[in-house]
Amino acid sequence: MDKIIINGGVPLRGTVEVGGMKNAALPIIYACVLIEDKCIIENIPNVRDVSLSLDILRDMGASVKTINKSTVEIDCTGVRQGTSKVEQVQKIRASYYLLGSELGRFGKAHVAYPGGCDFGGRPIDQHIKGFETLGGVVNTESGHVDVTTENGPVGANIFFDVVTVGATINVMLAAVLAEGTTVIDNAAREPHIVDLANFLNTCGAKITGAGTDVIKIKGVNKLHGCTYAIIPDMIEAGTFMVAAAATGGCVKITNVIPKHLESVSVKLEEAGATVDEFDDAVVVTGRSIVRKTNLKTHPYPGFPTDMQPQMAVLLCLANGVSYVSEGVYEKRFRYVEELIKMGATIKVDGRTAVIEGGKELSGAPVIAVDLRAGVAMVIAGLVAQGTTEISDIHLIERGYDDVVGKLRSLGAEIKRVSAPDPEESELIKKAN
Ligand code: EPZ
């Protein structure tokens, strides 16, 4: 049961470089199933969701070689359709991209239902709608999703009922080798959708419009390997920006695309911080006074839902009442109970949290309830008076590479400790 322990109250100062974007790396890794050739993926983040996804491809017969800390070579020539392991697939959500890539390459797909953070209902009805519109027959029994077609997907026009990153990606993967042209309307516009399209086009695909709400995919016969570098992680960058503002420090965050962070920068400036933008960096300077402000999460280019818990911590310090509305998921406030243990005054009413600021947070033992909630607790520990102990930190490590080391380099009093698992220590006692 490893933990993160933080002595709060230290303003962060210095420079930190963010890694490649987890949510761009994952679809690109699964997109390699479409390609019977070698792909070299650079700037890949060293996080648990990525290493698990590479293992899932290995289980299916792919060759995956580590070239260096942030570069892998993936060759899916030998991948066997429908052979992903249930117990692995169920650990994360992104494994459902195997549906689109298996369907695209083999004309059929067989994948267990995915896992992922608990934000209330996370249906896949739009994914299914997309596969059916491409001519697929979908069966969702016995905990699996099966898609079959007569002779592979056939291009068609798809209009999504809701803006969905996952379904936009899955339909792109299913359509890229289809017979004919596919048009996705009401598509998600996230930077990682653009990154996936750029990767596939580098491999010979014909995709236009990624980044807008209309994406056109002209089916091609075959894709070839390539070398491709993943875009920087805007959520990791945003997390460090909020940490700088919350601790009243001054931090330069490098390897970023400022355009991707616009909504976060605007919100931080509303809250009283200063954000200076450079070509591939931002400098965030916090102030002693945090101003109250309101936010509502939306699909890109709106304020990202994956930055909602982090901003809520900052607003706990604000001089007044702030309203945080979750516009993407049914519920994403499970972390509030943990912040209340640290002295926060927050009331959750459906999809809105009412945050009464102006109170100091005090260190306490808390848990990471999911990936972004966990890193929000790290920010809370950085600003709290006293010591904060965070457990279940494996959830944080799903999406953050060495967050402890990076924060230490900025002056934080933070460490990662390996506490023996209670059952383990019981066994050790019995054995001695
Ligand atoms: C991706 O999840 C990300 N995960 C999430 O990041 C992120 O929060 C989310 O996009 C939104 O940006 C990965 O990229 C691995 P959606 P995904 O499909 O694809 C509804 C993190 O912390 N919906 O855009 O699951 C759904 O219920 C994670 O890195 C349907 O109704 O997001 C949700 O309310 C957490 N029907 C909304 O759309 C569907 O068929 C957004 O889902 C699909 C989705």
Side-chain angles (χ1 to χ4, degrees), residues 81-82 84 89 95-96 98-99 102 109-114 143-146:
Q81 184 268 329
S84 56
V89 162
S95 54
Y96 68 3
L98 280 172
L99 288 167
E102 282 194 9
H110 173 80
V111 188
Y113 255 89
H144 280 79
V145 181
D146 279 288

Side-chain angles (χ1 to χ4, degrees), residues 27 44 52 55 67 69 91 98 135 141 148 158 162 183 188 194 207 216 231 242 246 253 264 270 279 298 330 424 431:
I44 204 160
L52 173 62
D55 286 343
I67 308 295
K69 183 176 179 301
K91 287 176 184 169
L98 280 172
E141 285 165 7
T148 53
I158 294 156
V162 294
V183 176
V194 178
I207 302 171
K216 182 182 281 190
I231 53 170
V242 172
I253 298 119
V264 176
E270 282 176 20
D279 285 350
H298 269 291
E330 269 175 29
E424 193 182 296

Side-chain angles (χ1 to χ4, degrees), residues 22-23 93 96 122 125-126 164-166 306 328-329 372:
K22 165 180 86 83
N23 290 347
R93 184 145 195 88
Y96 68 3
R122 293 184 80 178
D125 59 304
Q126 299 301 300
T164 149
V165 168
D306 293 348
V328 173
Y329 289 109
R372 308 301 175 180

